[in-house]
Amino acid sequence: MASELNLDWLISVDDHVLEPPTVWTDRVAAKDRDRAPHMEIDDSGMDFWVYDGKKFPSSGLSAVVGKSKEEFSPDPLPYSEMRPGCYDAKARLEDMDRAGVLASLCFPTITRFCGQLFMEASDRTFGFECLQHYNDWMIDEWCAVAPGRYIPLILIPMWDPPLAAREMERCAAKGATTFAFSENTEPLGLPTIHDPNHYWDPVMAAANELEMVVSMHVGSSSQLPAISKDAPFMANLTWGASRTSGTMLAWLFSGMFQRFPKLKIALSEGEVGWIPYFLERAEQVVDKQRHWVKRGGRFDTHAGAGDLDLDTFNVRETFANHVYGCFIDDAHGIASIGEIPEDNLMCETDYPHSDTTWPDSIKVVQSRIQHLPDELQYKILRGNAERLYRFTPAEPPVAATVTSGV
């Protein structure tokens, strides 16, 4: 069987789309085109998004493909200087073929990673309409360009969980199997997943019933990582991915997985090398601290909430059944397979952001996993993603040639 496995293609579970300028203006009523997200051009020729009285230029770091590292810059970048694959689904396919990417799951840009743009709007009713237009565009246009090449990721109205559940049901009926959520909702002004009033229950109950994956991208709390107020940017960025450990631990100890046993989360762009330590540390904490926590110790504000049975809680089993780590290039994570369950690892390319491995994506992952058995390589490259997202990819393009270089 091993010789029959095609190890020349991967599924990327974290890429990004810079929305085409007409996503909303093509869909809203004519009277609403000026108040929907739309693009304008200033006197200098720079284009930028306009919505709810605010301007949003595109960061150069969000569209670096085709550029050398020496050319990277966070300065605003007009669409005319971007590689077409950033915003055009057909052009993206050519770039995917070049890098050995069979299928791609794309997070949004202008809306931010979990739709914060619409939550912060002055008119949330119209914001929800715009959110629905985005979801329809993602499913019916971006993904429909090439069936089996794109995994649709939808947005939900975070400010209204019952409404969010209905939107999840609507989009699930159209084939969506995952939705964007925040790594930490507290900075967004929303209740956390530990809310004693169970604010998020309608969303998680829907996810559990519909088997929709909760996809949480690093940075979806609308916060930049900060070691201290004056820490250098590069220090903060280096440290930033490991903050995903906080998301993982919050979910493991939340009781969500016990209450919603089919619930699964993906920690997008969080890397994975840190996972073994935090699982080990979590086990130590449960072993030594659970007794006084059960009695309602003064340091645990959620003691006695009853969402998690600490006597039966198994850290590693809970992780294996519910949590998926995603990596771009993580040698330490690959070396830790075994401590990290092999069924819970997926790869990503981060196209077209500055961390991307494009155009060498398949070669980068192959170089990290080539020593592993073929069956395990296949899981990491695409099998785990296919199973988690209940996704059947198209057959790999026969004539495509994976190349390197810019």
Side-chain angles (χ1 to χ4, degrees):
M1 175 183 175
S3 61
E4 299 175 359
L5 296 176
N6 185 340
L7 305 179
D8 292 328
W9 296 87
L10 63 84
I11 292 179
S12 173
V13 297
D14 168 42
D15 293 319
H16 301 268
V17 58
L18 284 95
E19 295 81 1
T22 60
V23 168
W24 290 279
T25 54
D26 280 354
R27 289 168 178 77
V28 299
K31 65 180 178 62
D32 291 325
R33 286 174 185 161
D34 287 341
R35 68 181 187 125
H38 63 279
M39 193 156 280
E40 297 182 4
I41 301 175
D42 63 18
D43 293 339
S44 70
M46 178 62 66
D47 52 39
F48 50 88
W49 286 95
V50 176
Y51 177 62
D52 205 37
K54 300 175 183 176
K55 296 181 178 181
F56 305 93
S58 299
S59 167
L61 294 178
S62 296
V64 304
V65 292
K67 302 180 185 295
S68 67
K69 297 184 184 77
E70 291 76 14
E71 296 175 288
F72 288 6
S73 169
D75 293 338
L77 183 72
Y79 273 48
S80 61
E81 295 181 16
M82 296 179 188
R83 192 175 182 88
C86 294
Y87 53 83
D88 183 283
K90 291 182 180 178
R92 175 73 66 95
L93 290 173
E94 297 177 9
D95 286 351
M96 289 164 61
D97 291 351
R98 179 177 176 179
V101 179
L102 181 58
S104 170
L105 183 155
C106 294
F107 281 85
T109 299
I110 182 57
T111 73
R112 309 216 298 279
F113 293 144
C114 61
Q116 298 99 307
L117 180 73
F118 302 123
M119 186 183 74
E120 296 168 358
S122 58
D123 184 345
R124 284 181 171 175
T125 300
F126 183 62
F128 178 59
E129 178 187 333
C130 290
L131 181 148
Q132 288 187 299
H133 288 316
Y134 175 88
N135 289 341
D136 289 338
W137 168 80
M138 171 55 64
I139 298 170
D140 299 334
E141 292 199 31
W142 181 268
C143 294
V145 160
R149 299 300 302 272
Y150 294 111
I151 302 172
L153 173 78
I154 68 162
L155 301 176
I156 63 171
M158 303 277 285
W159 63 90
D160 189 334
L163 183 63
R166 292 195 292 273
E167 178 64 4
M168 292 163 66
E169 292 171 357
R170 185 184 78 87
C171 293
K174 295 169 60 127
T177 59
T178 183
F179 65 98
F181 195 70
S182 175
E183 63 188 349
N184 180 4
T185 55
E186 187 173 53
L188 303 182
L190 296 170
T192 72
I193 58 172
H194 314 293
D195 177 45
N197 296 317
H198 293 164
Y199 174 87
W200 294 109
D201 270 21
V203 170
M204 301 310 160
N208 186 71
E209 178 65 25
L210 299 167
E211 297 185 46
M212 293 189 78
V213 181
V214 186
S215 292
M216 292 176 282
H217 196 285
V218 67
S220 55
S221 58
S222 293
Q223 285 190 323
L224 293 173
I227 299 169
S228 63
K229 65 180 181 181
D230 56 356
F233 167 79
M234 296 184 75
N236 287 331
L237 191 60
T238 302
W239 172 75
S242 63
R243 63 183 160 156
T244 305
S245 62
T247 301
M248 180 191 79
L249 293 170
W251 279 81
L252 286 177
F253 284 96
S254 69
M256 280 286 191
F257 299 133
Q258 287 68 34
R259 295 172 53 232
F260 302 107
K262 292 191 290 183
L263 196 60
K264 299 183 187 299
I265 67 173
L267 303 174
S268 306
E269 205 174 317
E271 301 299 340
V272 297
W274 48 265
I275 290 175
Y277 166 75
F278 282 103
L279 291 180
E280 177 184 31
R281 178 58 182 154
E283 287 183 315
Q284 294 169 351
V285 169
V286 170
D287 177 56
K288 292 183 169 62
Q289 315 297 338
R290 73 177 189 273
H291 300 293
W292 68 260
V293 169
K294 284 163 47 184
R295 295 193 300 268
R298 62 188 179 92
F299 295 115
D300 189 356
T301 57
H302 293 281
D307 285 348
L308 183 64
D309 184 346
L310 290 173
D311 288 326
T312 60
F313 177 48
N314 184 306
V315 172
R316 293 182 189 273
E317 182 180 86
T318 302
F319 179 94
N321 290 337
H322 300 279
V323 183
Y324 290 76
C326 314
F327 71 94
I328 300 172
D329 183 16
D330 192 335
H332 290 285
I334 297 301
S336 298
I337 291 176
E339 293 184 77
I340 305 174
E342 64 184 46
D343 291 337
N344 297 65
L345 288 172
M346 302 184 294
C347 55
E348 53 192 25
T349 76
D350 198 32
Y351 181 109
H353 286 187
S354 56
D355 271 337
T356 187
T357 53
W358 189 89
D360 301 312
S361 303
I362 186 63
K363 294 181 178 180
V364 169
V365 181
Q366 287 174 335
S367 71
R368 297 299 188 194
I369 66 174
Q370 59 188 348
H371 62 287
L372 300 173
D374 285 1
E375 291 83 356
L376 179 48
Q377 291 188 50
Y378 189 85
K379 284 184 178 182
I380 295 170
L381 288 170
R382 52 182 284 194
N384 290 339
E386 291 173 19
R387 174 175 48 84
L388 177 64
Y389 296 105
R390 294 179 285 125
F391 178 74
T392 301
E395 287 297 315
V398 176
T401 301
V402 179
T403 60
S404 62
V406 176

